[in-house]
Amino acid sequence: MSNNQSKVEKFIEGIPGDLKSTEKYTQHGYFEPELVKTQFELPFSVNYMSKAVETVPYTHEDFPILRVLSRMMSAKYLHREIREKGGAYGSGAVCGSGVFSFYSYRDPNSSKTLQVFDEAVKWVVDDKFVPEDVDEAKLSVFQQTDKPITPGSAGMTLFLSGITDDMRQTMRDRLFQVSKQDVINVTKKYLTGDRPAAVSFIGPENSTVKTDDTWKVIKG
């Protein structure tokens, strides 16, 4: 134990920031997010698509609803449209602290998949799902929330993200209250209109991107 402790202390000494402030270990002051559309052009035969929208932090009352939304979209819409119909190896939506993201990987499509991301939002706003879809998504979130924590992972959420056990419990309690209307409301609030979003993908040369000057192309 003493040998491990000395190695950890040596590692921590080399990290910028104050030991008492978790954020200084996990955030860089020089980083500025860019809301742009970027393609990383590489000689692949498939694409890796993503779209990220700024939302709310973990402790916000809307966060549990966004988590349920991400699971429901993944299972009830994105999987069917992007994987089953579009032929991608996988796809989904993920809700992280402050960001709601769409993704697909090993995807033969590019622009079409980006369109499906938008159609998934419209599917929710137009109320094309049933309350049972919300219930299934809530169960899926609870399975992830309540899964056993391995000894090696204990404390990592607090260290990396500053999320305490009390914060986790509050988020869990709020999950019980999520309703179908809540899901529709947060979708309208965070995923429609002129909400800032960033789009990027890795893939081969793309004719659509090539003729659209709103895209930034980075050649690999």
Side-chain angles (χ1 to χ4, degrees):
M1 177 63 78
S2 60
N3 184 39
N4 288 338
Q5 184 175 345
S6 65
K7 290 182 181 298
V8 171
E9 289 174 349
K10 184 177 180 181
F11 169 73
I12 290 176
E13 288 173 0
I15 302 176
D18 181 2
L19 180 60
K20 296 180 181 179
S21 175
T22 305
E23 286 191 356
K24 291 188 179 180
Y25 285 96
T26 58
Q27 297 183 9
H28 296 286
Y30 59 80
F31 175 74
E32 290 291 340
E34 291 184 276
L35 300 176
V36 296
K37 296 192 294 184
T38 308
Q39 182 202 2
F40 298 88
E41 189 178 296
L42 291 169
F44 295 167
S45 58
V46 289
N47 301 281
Y48 296 77
M49 312 299 298
S50 67
K51 178 180 180 180
V53 182
E54 185 179 8
T55 54
V56 293
Y58 185 91
T59 53
H60 194 281
E61 61 183 6
D62 288 339
F63 183 82
I65 308 172
L66 288 165
R67 283 193 69 180
V68 172
L69 171 64
S70 69
R71 292 300 177 92
M72 187 183 75
M73 271 189 175
S74 297
K76 299 298 180 177
Y77 194 88
L78 297 172
H79 178 88
R80 179 181 73 238
E81 298 297 323
I82 296 178
R83 183 170 183 176
E84 294 180 3
K85 295 182 180 180
Y89 194 83
S91 65
V94 177
C95 175
S97 185
V99 180
F100 189 98
S101 305
F102 301 88
Y103 70 89
S104 73
Y105 57 95
R106 297 184 186 177
D107 190 346
N109 302 298
S110 55
S111 301
K112 184 178 179 181
T113 292
L114 294 178
Q115 182 179 341
V116 173
F117 292 161
D118 293 336
E119 290 171 352
V121 173
K122 189 175 186 301
W123 173 75
V124 176
V125 172
D126 289 347
D127 195 5
K128 295 297 179 70
F129 61 101
V130 295
E132 288 75 17
D133 295 335
V134 177
D135 293 338
E136 288 179 22
K138 288 167 73 172
L139 286 173
S140 179
V141 174
F142 273 117
Q143 286 178 343
Q144 182 69 25
T145 302
D146 293 343
K147 70 178 182 180
I149 299 175
T150 63
S153 300
M156 289 303 293
T157 302
L158 176 61
F159 179 76
L160 295 175
S161 306
I163 296 172
T164 65
D165 289 341
D166 288 340
M167 292 176 185
R168 287 164 59 90
Q169 185 60 48
T170 299
M171 197 280 298
R172 188 180 183 280
D173 292 340
R174 287 171 173 168
L175 278 172
F176 283 106
Q177 309 302 322
V178 177
S179 68
K180 180 182 177 183
Q181 190 59 50
D182 290 334
V183 172
I184 295 173
N185 290 343
V186 297
T187 303
K188 291 179 179 178
K189 184 176 181 180
Y190 298 107
L191 302 181
T192 61
D194 297 326
R195 193 78 181 181
V199 178
S200 65
F201 76 93
I202 300 171
E205 183 178 351
N206 187 289
S207 58
T208 301
V209 170
K210 199 172 183 180
T211 57
D212 186 346
D213 58 9
T214 63
W215 281 89
K216 176 181 179 182
V217 178
I218 299 176
K219 296 182 180 293

